Amino acid sequence: MKPKSTYSGPVTELGVKLLKKHVLGKLSGRGKKRLVGFEEEYGHVYQLLEQTVVSGEGNSILIIGPRGVGKSTLVDTAIQTLQETHKGELLVVRLNGFLQTDDKLAIHEIWRQLGVEMALEDQGGQPKTSNFADTLTSILALLSHPDELSGGMEEEEDERGSRKTSLSVVFVLDEFDLFVTHPRQTLLYNLFDIAQARKAPIAVLGLTSRVDVVEGLEKRVKSRFSHRSVHLRLPNSIEQFWAVVRSGLEVDEDELGEIEGVCAEERGYWEKWNEKLEGLWEESKGFRMLVRRGYALTKDVKGFWANWCLFPISHLGTAAVAQSSTYTSLAGPENRLHILPALTELELSLLIAAARLDIISDTDTCNFNMAYDEYKSLAAKVKVQNSIGSTIAGGGVPGGGQGGKLWSREVAVGAWEGLGRWEVLVPVTVGGVQGGVGREGRMWRVDVGLGEIGRWAGQSGGVLGGVLGRWCREI
Amino acid sequence: MSTAIQENQGTDYDPQEHLGCYIFTPPNASSEAQRPPKRRRTSTSKGVKQKGKATAVTTTDNSLYEDDPEGELLFPQLFGGKESPAVAKRRWESYNELWEEQEKRTNEILASMNEKMLEEVSEFVKKAMPESYDGKVPTAVILVGPNIASHGLLFNQLATRIQVNERIGPAVVLSSKDATNLKGVLKKLIKDATQEDQGLDDEEDTVVTKKTQGAKLLNYDLQILQNWCQEPAHKGLKVTVAIQDTEAFDSNILSDLVSLMSAYLNRIPFTLLLGVATSIEIFHEKVPKSIIRLMRGEKFDVERAEECLARIFNDATIGAKSVLRLGPSLSDFLLRRQKNHTQSIQAFVAALKYAYMSHFYANPLSIFLAFVDDLDGLDEALKPEYLEAVRNLPSFRRRVESLLEEKNTKPVRLLLDDDAHLHDVIKASISLCRNYTKCLAQALEVLEIARSFMVNQNNKLPRHELYPKALLGELNGSPVIRELLLAMKKMNSTKLVALIDRVIATITDETDGSLQKALVPLRERIAALIKDSQKKNLNSEFDLSVSDTLRATVVSKRVQLSEKKSALTKEEEEYSKCVKAVHDIIEQYFSENMKGLEGLLLHEVFFYDLLSPHRDVFAPRSRYAIERALSRPQDYLGCACCSDLSEYGNNNPSDNPIMPTMPAASILYKLYLESGTLINTFDLWSAFYSIVGDGEGGDAGEGGVDRATGQVLFYRGLAELRALGFVRASKKKTDHLAKLAWKGL
Amino acid sequence: MEALITSIDSKYPCRTLQLRQLSALLDPDLPSPSSIILYGLEATGKSLLTKALLDASETTYSWVACHECITARHLTERIASQVKDAVREKEDGQLEKDVLGMRAENINALVVVLGKILGTRGRGGNGDGDDVEVEKKHVLVLDRIDRQREATPISLAGLARLGEIIPRLTTIFILSVPSPRLLSTSSIPHIHFPPYTKDELIHILSLTPLRLNIPRSRPPSRPPSPDSLAANDQADLVEDLFVYTRFLGTIWESLAKSTSRNILQFKSIADKMWDEFVEPIRSGEYGTRNFSQLYVRQRDMFRVERHILDEVVPSNTTTTTTTTSFSGATAATTTSSAAAAIIPQDMMAKATHDLPHYSKLLLLASYLASYNPSRLDVQFFTKASDKRKRRRGGGATGAGGGRKNQVRKIQRRLLGPQPFLLERMLAIFHAIVPDPVASSVDLQTQIATLTSLRLLVRASASGDPLEAGGKWRVNVGWEYIRGLARSVKFEVEGFLAEV
């Protein structure tokens, strides 16, 4: 994917630099993200927010969609445009279920953010009292609707500085499902209550990837929640998918345009770049395959960007750098199997022995003693088979290595612990207690199936692969 | 407590015996007046009565301490108070000084025991660097043995030595009690390590200010220790972490701790001491391999409990210095207890002290021990009642009887009537006793040395285990000695000479140098023989037949023997004679010195040999007592209603019937014994009521109780059984009781 | 940039790809992803490489060793203070007092603090000002995050969000085994550090080879110091390398491949075995070139497991000490000085601190109670029945189960010790003890001692230890028990249902 190949004009350092920065910014979620698709959902959310801001309604809505589909992007764009259109009329409070792990924290955080927003030094950044109720009431007072305020505008002016109308606040609750898990859902209850009872003009946006989150709400909370929700779906055709992918990869002229020092060459280069992307999509088989794979496996755009695009683009240069490893992915492992090649032979043998036990004596748990016993019998068989000593060639070694050598208990225990450390074995706790029986009696569950190991061993070939493969097959 | 009751039954019944605690009122003259007869008996008689005495002694004794600290008349006046206070005081004093000497010697031994190990370990700590153990935590594994009681002391010694004497750096001793969680351990570690000069406030707020910038640290953050180590004042100091009881330490916490230490090792110079009571293998099994990989070091060994015991015992009872010694049965009991149950030196020392005390407390004649060094001082102490007491001694009786056997009545008459004569006899026998012990000790030593020369070193009893046998006179002509003598005959010249040398060397301070005199010339002769024979080794004729055992038939053997004999050189024949001589000498020596103390007059004074007090104080059989009390309450209550049962078979409850008059608990216990593992409560009740109930409950006779009372009794009894841990409400079936305790364990 | 990479690459070989990827992601003048995951088993150069790269590049970074943090709070506090220090030192950013004073008790507070220090993103409009701030980005490395003791999925996810909230920040998670949805977000680039292959290992180790130093006697562990590399030394080096590489290869094939693959263990094994292995060369009976003969001679070294077992007290040293003592003792006995004649005795005795006699029996009893089904007790411990009937009966129950159903029955022995009633154990004890023993308090104390030595453990966590209904369990293996039985001359095999 070197645009140089087709672009006739010169490629300037600046051009490349800006492009890389721009595109990478988008890919790594740093730069400004652009919403692709979801026009109608966007409209929905935007209109709801607008109502809150303009006519002071209280609203609540859930935005449901899988990770990386663009929930936050949607919300952010909406809020941003609103902030541009109605300057200084709304505040945004962003909460994240990962960070505010209980309602107390959440309240404090709300207070802090509001405090920051409205520069209320007199009340202090953090509330003096850590009492939940007090904090809540003070926030309520802060949010309360002007019509309900005892006393007319004058007092309000005194206490609220120079603002005429009351501010409307947008609460963005990321990882909404975690807030649902909080005990008694106090926060949600209060927020929804405010929103519904029009105590104050607030909008509560819950972002979550769980569809069934509403069921989690308590009755009193559920009853106060306006059951609006917006579902964002993953692209359901590869073209759509590509469109989103492309939106991240291409250059948005209008953004880079106004940077000084940018002149025709860069512009041309960027245009070419965009064309080239389209071209890649049309022609290059490999690239298409890649996109198709991403679509087929996860439909996860962000994942696609992070795993496949970051590395190549960051290696762009004016001169084509010969990168053999351009297409190495940065994807994480899909499952436990990736550990297998890294295991020592002994560990593999024990693992297989343990996995066999699951089938042979149908228990899903086993301990070291059982595994080692099985391993011993297996190894003994092999030893018999290739008992005819192998020759020593160039430091090659007799007997050992080929799964034939029987390692002693002591060594095996070490290997066993290794398996446990790498989570191929999962400890089984019976009624909370696991210790006491000693490490050789402790019960574990094997986290990889015998079949999987067998398949891998088959691929890995070699004498070892053969032996182990047989162990996996013959039961 | 049960024993206490036993003592008091028949005599005055003291309700205080049943109270957990009570204000002690010092014994006034009257109570003293009526108690002595028992005391007189105690000094002579053994057995059940003695039991009670023991406990009584302990209670009164230490409560007396509170009463008058300056300690006049801490011991009661014996002989029914006829004993003069001065003498009683003298007994007390002599007890004190004798025990003090003994204790001093013991402590010296104990201190010297660990000296070597302490030295080595502190040396190790001093020059332990991670570099020298390729970057792993320098670790000293100290095998401290299964005697848990001594560990705390040991590790404190270690810590003080490292921290104070050697000034290597802070040494923190962690025990499993601190190891409830990792945080706690770290807090303690940091606190103890740094508190030396910088006290960090560790109140409610878990935050402490560190000297460098304003940043704060949690008080379980090893960063604190790191900063402490980096202060100029503490440059080059090592932090020693000693884990006292590694086995008891929670292994997860232990591994966390070790991994943390190795993580910080480049910033904090840690050294780890692990006290392992069992064995390194078990320790290795306890800790994951990945953690073991982080430690590297050496292993140290403390003196084994057996060695320690041997030395102390030899010093206390065999050694020449000690005056009062343990008798055969008692020492046998103590030794076996050490061997079988607890290998705890502390326990042994306690027992020893107890022996001293009760000897002086209850035995009027123990006053003699005060005068062993000036026998003339004894005269004014010897009041007539003492002579009476002596005449009551079993050893005295034995002497008299033996004399009567020999039909010479004159000395008997003298002994019995003439006090002056008895005087002299006593004096004589005192010195005799002392002499006897010396000889015996020496003989034992010689025996041990000689045995160390024998070919087969196995089944070798150390000296102190032979001691009781020797006292009983069983050693004389026992297989142990015969085997030795046989081996001596077969010895070749070099070995024999070496043996003789050793023996001569050891028996320098022999009372009469007879053995020495006898042996020296023989040694000369043998040496001469060796010189003028070409062989370096002379074999005696007794050594022949062992040469080969292939020949089967007796005849052939004899033939072979004879020809061998003829083959002997004349030196060898000479040598054989010498061997014979030596053999005879040694044999005679043993037979002289290995006599039992039976024949010894007054040995009761010098050998404390009352078994039961120790058994009851140090190894009480609580469970047996409870079971007996439940199955045979009449033994304890001695009430009229059950008195007729007393002639029933003593221990097995089966053959003494259940009486309605028995306490509810014991009735229920009997029913309990008859029932299975699960007891239906209602059945139990009905059975119970059929016994205690009146009329309709069944065959129970008149004078039974009505239902309500029965139930009260029933529930109370059941509650008592429950409290004693016999039954528990079963989870398996409703209103059933689970049987917990098995009988006779 | 390239120069930097090559220099690091030469320092830490065989990690080129990972290095390139990492450096690309951390490129100082390009926006970096908010968090990166480096994963790979132990000793695959994750931390080393990262540190080297960060040190070389001018981006400020703060390094947090998570395995040193005991609690979650500890972690957050540590992160905060590290970042503060880093910012203060490197980019002399003036931190106002209140920031210094602020504490990070939890992740939320941590976000606040970091936001204060590094500047959070402006509300609403995200990413306007970024281009300016990206210039001085800050990298937060959470080393061995998977070893953090209180790390919950939520807290991890929270940490992963740091970079999204604070634009300047990039968080690097270093861990051994990633679970697919570890940080509950999809768009995190992973960099995998696979374990070194055989050739890589040999290549790396032979950069600092162990020396034969045949002529001189230098401690072999020391790498050759450049000044002393005279010509002949150079020649030696070639020879040494020749031997060393083959030596390593052999170790790999025989021991390391199947037991310990990571470089540290591999190296330690090599260090342990080297001197012993090349001894014949040093002594001069073998040349450096005929390796295979040398191997044939030394073959046994590669069969035994002595070198791959980790021990606190290296076994070889202990063995040597004991052997010397024994040999010394034997020598002494030959020179029949009586003093020495006693030595072997207490030498052997010294080897073990053994338990009191009855403690041993108690332990045996509890082993039997743990490993025998209680229904067989009558069969085993009735004084009347003789041993061989016993064994037959026991064996039958043991083996018979196995043959019946094709689903193999798991042997009881393999399942580890089963809990037993204390009473039962005591009964067994009284059955196996040779001479009747009066049950005094001493037995109870011994049980207590055994418990505090963890040779005996309480299985039921319920309430008071005095309760007779409590369940217990033996906590020692068969080998130990067998040794114990021998020491008290008790033939334990006869009493076990499965031997």
Side-chain angles (χ1 to χ4, degrees), chain C residues 290-307:
Chain C
N290 45 13
F291 180 87
S292 48
Q293 296 175 25
L294 181 57
Y295 167 73
V296 175
R297 161 170 172 164
Q298 299 282 44
R299 165 185 300 179
D300 291 345
M301 285 180 61
F302 300 93
R303 291 240 181 82
V304 297
E305 293 169 346
R306 179 153 47 90
H307 302 284

Side-chain angles (χ1 to χ4, degrees), chain B residues 116 134 136 139-141 143-146 148 151 176 182-183 186 206-207 210 213-218 220-223 245 247-250 255-257 259-260 263-264 267 274 276-280 282-286 289 292-293 295-299 301-307 336-343 449 452-453 457-458 460 494-495 498 502 618-624 725 728 740-745, chain C residues 42 65 67-75 77-78 81-82 84-85 88-89 100-101 103 147 149-150 262 265 268 271-272 309-314 317-318 321-322 336-342 344-346 349-360 377 421-428 430 435 437-446 448-455 462 467-470 475-477 479-480:
Chain B
K116 181 161 148 298
D134 49 32
K136 305 181 179 194
T139 308
V141 178
L143 297 177
V144 287
I148 297 181
H151 295 174
S176 54
L182 183 59
K183 242 205 242 176
L186 287 175
T206 62
V207 177
K210 102 177 150 186
Q213 312 100 12
K216 311 261 189 173
L217 288 178
L218 299 166
Y220 50 81
D221 189 346
L222 281 175
Q223 191 86 34
D245 43 359
E247 281 87 355
F249 219 81
D250 177 276
S255 21
D256 278 351
L257 188 62
S259 61
L260 269 177
Y264 273 94
R267 287 156 284 172
L274 294 172
V276 175
T278 49
S279 75
I280 292 194
I282 290 187
F283 167 66
H284 277 178
E285 278 190 12
K286 179 183 166 68
K289 287 252 177 290
I292 290 177
R293 209 169 290 140
M295 302 181 281
R296 176 66 58 79
E298 295 169 24
K299 134 176 157 241
D301 213 334
V302 300
E303 205 64 37
R304 280 168 63 251
E306 286 85 336
E307 324 276 326
R336 193 172 295 118
R337 182 155 178 273
Q338 284 289 325
K339 190 139 169 284
N340 290 343
H341 293 290
T342 78
Q343 287 169 342
I449 292 163
S452 73
F453 279 83
Q457 295 287 356
N458 51 8
K460 203 167 110 114
T494 34
K495 215 164 177 185
R502 274 296 297 289
F618 290 100
R621 304 173 54 185
S622 50
R623 185 162 176 173
Y624 168 76
R728 182 182 56 186
L740 294 182
W742 302 9
K743 186 174 172 308
L745 290 181
Chain C
E42 55 204 7
H67 55 283
E68 292 177 8
C69 300
I70 291 92
T71 60
R73 176 175 186 187
H74 194 179
L75 178 62
E77 299 266 12
R78 180 69 70 87
S81 66
Q82 292 287 16
K84 281 178 199 163
D85 297 352
R88 192 190 292 101
E89 291 156 10
L100 282 182
R103 304 200 55 78
R147 293 270 309 279
R149 290 172 181 79
E150 287 184 1
N262 80 48
Q265 296 179 29
S268 74
D271 296 350
K272 275 192 221 160
L309 285 176
D310 318 280
E311 287 159 319
V312 176
V313 181
T317 65
T318 52
T321 52
T322 44
S336 68
S337 101
I342 312 177
Q345 290 300 313
D346 45 18
K350 215 169 205 54
T352 60
H353 290 273
D354 50 359
L355 298 162
H357 183 239
Y358 285 155
S359 300
K360 289 179 180 175
D377 285 351
L421 283 172
L422 200 57
E423 297 290 289
R424 181 174 159 230
M425 189 273 277
L426 281 175
I428 294 181
H430 282 287
D435 44 359
V437 47
S439 73
S440 66
V441 173
D442 287 334
L443 286 184
Q444 312 302 328
T445 26
Q446 285 179 81
T449 311
L450 290 176
T451 316
S452 60
L453 292 180
R454 290 292 190 282
L455 300 174
S462 68
E467 180 187 275
N475 196 21
V476 288
E479 287 72 15
Y480 183 78

Side-chain angles (χ1 to χ4, degrees), chain A residues 172-311:
Chain A
V172 182
L173 273 62
D174 208 342
E175 313 296 338
F176 182 79
D177 40 322
L178 289 179
F179 285 102
V180 173
T181 61
H182 293 175
R184 300 201 315 285
Q185 304 179 344
T186 327
L187 176 70
L188 296 182
Y189 172 75
N190 289 295
L191 286 182
F192 285 150
D193 188 46
I194 298 172
Q196 187 208 36
R198 316 173 143 268
K199 293 213 188 94
I202 70 168
V204 182
L205 305 180
L207 278 58
T208 177
S209 58
R210 294 188 46 186
V211 189
D212 60 346
V213 71
V214 183
E215 278 64 49
L217 292 174
E218 289 176 14
K219 218 163 130 296
R220 56 183 193 133
V221 181
K222 199 186 270 178
S223 64
R224 282 167 174 70
F225 167 57
S226 77
H227 283 263
R228 287 197 216 120
S229 64
V230 170
H231 286 265
L232 303 188
R233 289 191 177 67
L234 289 166
N236 49 14
S237 81
I238 185 153
E239 283 71 20
Q240 278 184 19
F241 184 66
W242 163 242
V244 187
V245 170
R246 175 201 170 105
S247 76
L249 288 175
E250 69 189 359
V251 183
D252 315 313
E253 308 267 349
D254 48 357
E255 282 187 35
L256 291 185
E258 59 270 13
I259 299 176
E260 71 287 349
V262 175
C263 42
E265 288 82 7
E266 285 80 21
R267 294 237 168 65
Y269 169 52
W270 294 335
E271 279 159 18
K272 267 283 174 252
W273 168 267
N274 292 352
E275 290 169 21
K276 184 62 191 170
L277 282 180
E278 209 40 55
L280 268 176
W281 171 246
E282 304 297 345
E283 293 121 31
S284 146
K285 206 127 189 49
F287 187 71
R288 213 186 167 88
M289 275 303 302
L290 209 55
V291 179
R292 197 175 291 286
R293 185 168 175 282
Y295 175 73
L297 282 181
T298 58
K299 291 189 178 183
D300 177 358
V301 179
K302 279 195 189 162
F304 184 81
W305 287 339
N307 300 342
W308 295 104
C309 308
L310 278 181
F311 188 48

Side-chain angles (χ1 to χ4, degrees), chain A residues 13-32 248-252 255-256 259 269-270 273 310 313-316, chain C residues 27-33 127-137:
Chain A
E13 287 291 342
L14 178 63
V16 180
K17 184 161 175 295
L18 288 180
L19 176 130
K20 279 163 84 172
K21 186 174 291 181
H22 172 65
V23 175
L24 283 179
K26 288 200 290 184
L27 296 187
S28 61
R30 294 293 194 194
K32 171 174 183 175
L249 288 175
E250 69 189 359
V251 183
D252 315 313
E255 282 187 35
L256 291 185
I259 299 176
Y269 169 52
W270 294 335
W273 168 267
L310 278 181
I313 290 185
S314 62
H315 271 82
L316 278 183
Chain C
D27 191 328
D29 38 337
L30 291 179
S32 304
D128 317 298
D130 283 5
D131 302 354
V132 201
E133 287 179 343
V134 168
E135 296 309 331
K136 39 188 180 66
K137 71 174 71 170

Side-chain angles (χ1 to χ4, degrees), chain B residues 588-602:
Chain B
Q588 193 219 1
Y589 171 74
F590 279 144
S591 55
E592 278 174 0
N593 293 312
M594 287 281 186
K595 287 199 293 294
L597 46 61
E598 281 310 310
L600 213 56
L601 187 57
L602 278 188

